[in-house]
Amino acid sequence: MASFAIFAMTCRAEIRNVSMDGYIGGRVHDCIRQRVMGQDVDELIEPFLKQDEVQNRWASEFWGKWVQGAMASYQYNHDPALYAKIKDSQEKMVAAQLPDGYIGDYDKEHQLAGWDVWGRKYTLLGLVKWYGLTGDKRVLRSACKLLDYTMSQIGEGKKHIYETGYYRGMPPCSILEPVMYMYRATKRAEYLDFAKYIVADGEKSHKLVEKCDVPVAQRFPLSQGHGWWSFENGQKAYEMMSCYVGMLELYKETGDQALLDAAVKAYGHIVDEEINICGSGAAMECWYGGRLKQHVPTIHTMETCVTFTWMQFCERLLELSHDSRYADQIERTMYNALMASMRDDASQIVKYTPLEGFRREGENQCDVRMNCCNANAPRAFAMIPRVMYRMSEGNVLDVNLYVPSKAEINVGKTPVRIEQVTDYPKTGTVTLSVNPAKSVHMTLNLRIPAWSKQATVEVNGQPVADVRPGTYCTIGRDWAQGDKVTLTLDMRTRMTRLDRMAAFERGPVVFARYSQFADGDVDECITVSPAEGGYVDAGLVDSPQGVWLTLGLPALRGGYAEGGVDDCQIRLCDFASAGSRWDERERYRVWLPMLYTPSQPDGGEIKGYW
């Protein structure tokens, strides 16, 4: 089968045969087996055959989301059965196309209303990425007909694109991303012109470039009479980031610096004001200044579609910038918000993942046994192997994620086998073997997470200088068979305070108090005395069945606490394991209330926010 590298995000021919083991590898395999292979795809295609939508619903997004996750999963595991399942669905989607080019679920009278253009975006993504994977020109022709039909309805002298959807037009304007892929596939100038039109016309309403210096939750304050679920709400998190992803794709072609600058500034605001300790954010699907409110129980928080799109946004910025801070964000989200989104048996994906409470199945939507997050989440799981290793010009290999894994690359014409041996993040040691077929010069970049204040790197037992947190450790040398790189990261437990609440992290993992441990009420106050720098003398202990990592935390419990902090120990589990059985009788909490102690300065308060 041929591979056509139309766009870098799905076709990375330089890195081959990636395989993963350990906890992360197991969860990715579970997701593919249950959520991707287990999906009834005909049910997702049925709305395209009926074409009777009049209620402004979004069933037309489900197939495009599922098939992208399926294709990315196939690029990882090369399963012939998965390939056949995807191919069958592509043929059925092409067969559903009307003579005028429309593929969608809206009737003729209601086209361009509600979520119609948003759905076309996902259909285009599903079709053009299949062409990118296989070179199937019949599918590309179908995608062209759909895009041409859309352009006959939207544009100068026609309907404004921002008028064809909700939230100041951000959902329909996010069609920019597949329009750019279509331009790369065909080189048709009218597609590039349409992409530029989308940005210019959308800017009249959502102002994603003009307002990039404004916090994302404050760009369009809702006045009286304008409801949350209205056109005037410009805070919709998932759709906003989707638009920025499209702008970055346009920037790649045009070099328009304003687009890149706007995306980078928006990223900064999202990190500073929205993303919580578990690597996601938003409430009721919109930005709300949630970073400094994350310790307050919040309605409908951490939508899994937001979690995926945040990872996607960071991945695009990582590709363009070679800045490890974007990989840091992906790692945080991966280990916490993403892994927590999937039930322990991988049968379902949550719609929302609160930082306290319990988890449960989301609703079915649009008369389909599916919801937006179940459709989208496999794309995030399938993103992990392609983010882990990245090749760039000059024979440079970035190692962004530390997972027991193997991969093959080419340095010039020399094949090189890469292997990670590690039980990270149980421990902080990662051994990377580099095995070229013959001696070859290559630069290896190891990401040193910003949280790892102490880190060391050795090559064949010899220390490497200039290992700094928040950067890549760069090792350029002639590599030979059997060379080994050893990375040791700082696995001290970190305690963070926010308004008399405390949270605990070890490496990239956030921990939560969990009722299954039966060592006190998850809501009771505790007293913990951290050392300088906010570190806590806490380490991993044996885990019960169903829990991946368990942290033993020396702490005094309740308002009658007396004595030293070693008088009592509570257990915390990794956030992903907490409540993973979706049993509403089980409760967990990330932010733990701290006891006020008047004999201590400010009652024992530690200054500074997370």
Side-chain angles (χ1 to χ4, degrees):
M1 185 192 315
S3 177
F4 295 77
I6 296 170
F7 40 88
M9 301 313 301
T10 59
C11 298
R12 300 196 58 80
E14 311 96 328
I15 300 173
R16 307 179 307 280
N17 299 327
V18 177
S19 62
M20 298 185 298
D21 294 312
Y23 172 74
I24 294 294
R27 295 308 276 163
V28 170
H29 287 290
D30 291 344
C31 182
I32 295 172
R33 184 186 73 254
Q34 292 279 66
R35 290 305 318 136
V36 178
M37 287 298 294
Q39 180 62 49
D40 179 354
V41 185
D42 286 344
E43 185 177 8
L44 308 185
I45 296 173
E46 185 176 359
F48 296 88
L49 305 179
K50 292 181 177 179
Q51 295 169 337
D52 60 357
E53 179 59 57
V54 298
Q55 299 181 43
N56 296 335
R57 298 184 298 180
W58 53 93
S60 56
E61 72 172 39
F62 296 151
W63 175 80
K65 289 181 173 181
W66 172 84
V67 81
Q68 288 183 85
M71 285 186 285
S73 298
Y74 171 75
Q75 287 178 285
Y76 170 62
N77 71 3
H78 308 293
D79 179 6
L82 177 55
Y83 181 87
K85 191 179 182 81
I86 299 166
K87 186 174 187 292
D88 178 69
S89 80
Q90 294 281 346
E91 292 172 351
K92 289 175 178 176
M93 285 297 291
V94 170
Q97 189 162 40
L98 297 182
D100 61 12
Y102 181 66
I103 307 178
D105 66 335
Y106 280 66
D107 72 8
K108 185 72 173 180
E109 181 182 351
H110 292 85
Q111 284 183 21
L112 301 185
W115 297 92
D116 182 33
V117 177
W118 169 261
R120 298 188 205 189
K121 158 198 166 179
Y122 279 106
T123 300
L124 280 171
L125 283 168
L127 295 173
V128 72
K129 288 190 176 183
W130 179 248
Y131 171 72
L133 182 65
T134 68
D136 187 336
K137 292 186 178 180
R138 180 168 176 257
V139 169
L140 179 63
R141 287 193 295 269
S142 179
C144 288
K145 286 178 65 178
L146 175 56
L147 181 52
D148 292 346
Y149 178 67
T150 302
M151 291 167 58
S152 76
Q153 297 174 299
I154 297 170
E156 296 293 344
K158 306 161 195 170
K159 191 158 185 127
H160 289 287
I161 193 164
Y162 65 80
E163 294 177 333
T164 65
Y166 302 114
Y167 305 107
R168 306 198 70 87
M170 289 188 294
C173 286
S174 69
I175 200 173
L176 175 61
E177 181 192 6
V179 169
M180 288 308 305
Y181 298 156
M182 293 292 291
Y183 169 69
R184 291 185 194 136
T186 65
K187 295 302 179 183
R188 287 175 55 176
E190 59 266 37
Y191 291 167
L192 184 59
D193 291 342
F194 187 56
K196 294 176 181 177
Y197 158 80
I198 292 169
V199 172
D201 201 56
E203 189 66 13
K204 298 172 185 176
S205 180
H206 54 57
K207 302 188 184 303
L208 295 181
V209 176
E210 178 182 327
K211 289 181 175 285
C212 66
D213 287 315
V214 179
V216 289
Q218 299 175 21
R219 294 180 177 183
F220 294 96
L222 292 176
S223 58
Q224 188 173 5
H226 291 152
W228 189 263
W229 311 110
S230 68
F231 180 85
E232 285 74 19
N233 188 338
Q235 299 164 214
K236 194 70 159 62
Y238 165 24
E239 288 80 352
M240 179 188 291
M241 290 187 291
S242 295
C243 287
Y244 281 120
V245 166
M247 290 180 184
L248 290 173
E249 294 302 322
L250 181 57
Y251 163 77
K252 292 177 186 177
E253 295 295 330
T254 65
D256 185 344
Q257 190 66 33
L259 300 177
L260 177 61
D261 291 346
V264 171
K265 288 179 179 179
Y267 163 89
H269 281 296
I270 294 169
V271 168
D272 291 344
E273 297 138 18
E274 301 294 344
I275 296 300
N276 63 38
I277 197 169
C278 286
S280 188
M284 298 177 69
E285 303 174 16
C286 297
W287 302 128
Y288 70 109
R291 185 173 184 267
L292 293 183
K293 302 182 183 77
Q294 61 182 287
H295 60 304
V296 179
T298 302
I299 186 171
H300 292 176
T301 188
M302 286 172 60
E303 183 196 23
T304 302
C305 283
V306 173
T307 296
F308 161 70
T309 312
W310 172 240
M311 293 176 68
Q312 181 188 44
F313 187 26
C314 290
E315 183 190 22
R316 302 301 166 92
L317 289 167
L318 176 65
E319 179 192 18
L320 286 168
S321 69
H322 197 258
D323 188 330
S324 66
R325 62 178 169 159
Y326 301 119
D328 279 358
Q329 292 293 332
I330 292 171
E331 181 185 56
R332 174 185 294 277
T333 305
M334 177 187 77
Y335 275 109
N336 299 292
L338 179 63
M339 293 299 139
S341 73
M342 190 164 67
R343 190 170 177 165
D344 61 350
D345 63 3
S347 61
Q348 286 290 325
I349 304 290
V350 296
K351 198 164 187 293
Y352 304 109
T353 311
L355 296 181
E356 65 85 34
F358 55 84
R359 299 174 197 148
R360 68 181 183 188
E361 184 173 349
E363 78 281 10
N364 292 333
Q365 297 173 339
C366 310
D367 299 325
V368 178
R369 289 176 298 171
M370 168 71 83
N371 62 52
C372 54
C373 297
N374 254 314
N376 230 359
R379 300 171 67 193
F381 283 88
M383 180 190 300
I384 294 168
R386 73 171 183 253
V387 169
M388 183 162 46
Y389 299 109
R390 302 187 73 93
M391 286 290 292
S392 55
E393 293 182 8
N395 296 333
V396 176
L397 175 66
D398 295 344
V399 183
N400 290 308
L401 300 174
Y402 300 114
V403 175
S405 57
K406 297 177 182 178
E408 298 173 7
I409 63 174
N410 277 349
V411 177
K413 296 182 179 180
T414 303
V416 181
R417 289 182 292 109
I418 304 293
E419 181 176 6
Q420 284 191 53
V421 177
T422 182
D423 61 357
Y424 173 87
K426 287 187 176 181
T427 70
T429 302
V430 180
T431 300
L432 193 77
S433 297
V434 182
N435 288 292
K438 61 180 182 180
S439 180
V440 67
H441 189 85
M442 179 181 73
T443 297
L444 188 68
N445 285 329
L446 300 181
R447 180 181 64 90
I448 310 300
W451 50 258
S452 183
K453 302 307 180 186
Q454 300 173 359
T456 62
V457 176
E458 295 180 348
V459 177
N460 298 330
Q462 298 301 310
V464 175
D466 198 27
V467 180
R468 291 173 288 124
T471 65
Y472 288 104
C473 174
T474 298
I475 309 169
R477 68 192 301 272
D478 293 330
W479 298 89
Q481 278 276 349
D483 282 345
K484 293 186 183 300
V485 180
T486 302
L487 168 66
T488 304
L489 296 173
D490 184 354
M491 303 305 287
R492 290 176 292 174
T493 299
R494 308 185 301 280
M495 173 179 169
T496 302
R497 294 288 291 266
L498 180 56
D499 289 351
R500 305 210 63 80
M501 307 289 279
F504 299 88
E505 301 169 86
R506 183 179 178 276
V509 177
V510 175
F511 287 82
R513 199 160 186 191
Y514 189 23
S515 63
Q516 285 305 101
F517 289 139
D519 55 4
D521 192 299
V522 298
D523 296 319
E524 72 181 346
C525 56
I526 62 172
T527 302
V528 177
S529 298
E532 185 177 352
Y535 296 104
V536 177
D537 185 17
L540 296 184
V541 297
D542 291 340
S543 292
Q545 185 175 2
V547 171
W548 175 41
L549 298 177
T550 302
L551 186 73
L553 177 69
L556 292 174
R557 294 169 37 199
Y560 288 97
E562 295 180 4
V565 294
D566 293 328
D567 289 352
C568 183
Q569 177 174 276
I570 61 173
R571 288 178 293 171
L572 310 178
C573 76
D574 63 284
F575 178 67
S577 294
S580 63
R581 291 183 289 198
W582 295 15
D583 184 339
E584 295 185 15
R585 295 169 298 180
E586 300 176 2
R587 292 196 67 248
Y588 65 87
R589 173 184 283 276
V590 168
W591 288 97
L592 308 182
M594 301 297 289
L595 188 67
Y596 186 86
T597 307
S599 62
Q600 300 295 323
D602 296 321
E605 180 64 81
I606 299 172
K607 301 299 183 182
Y609 290 108
W610 169 72

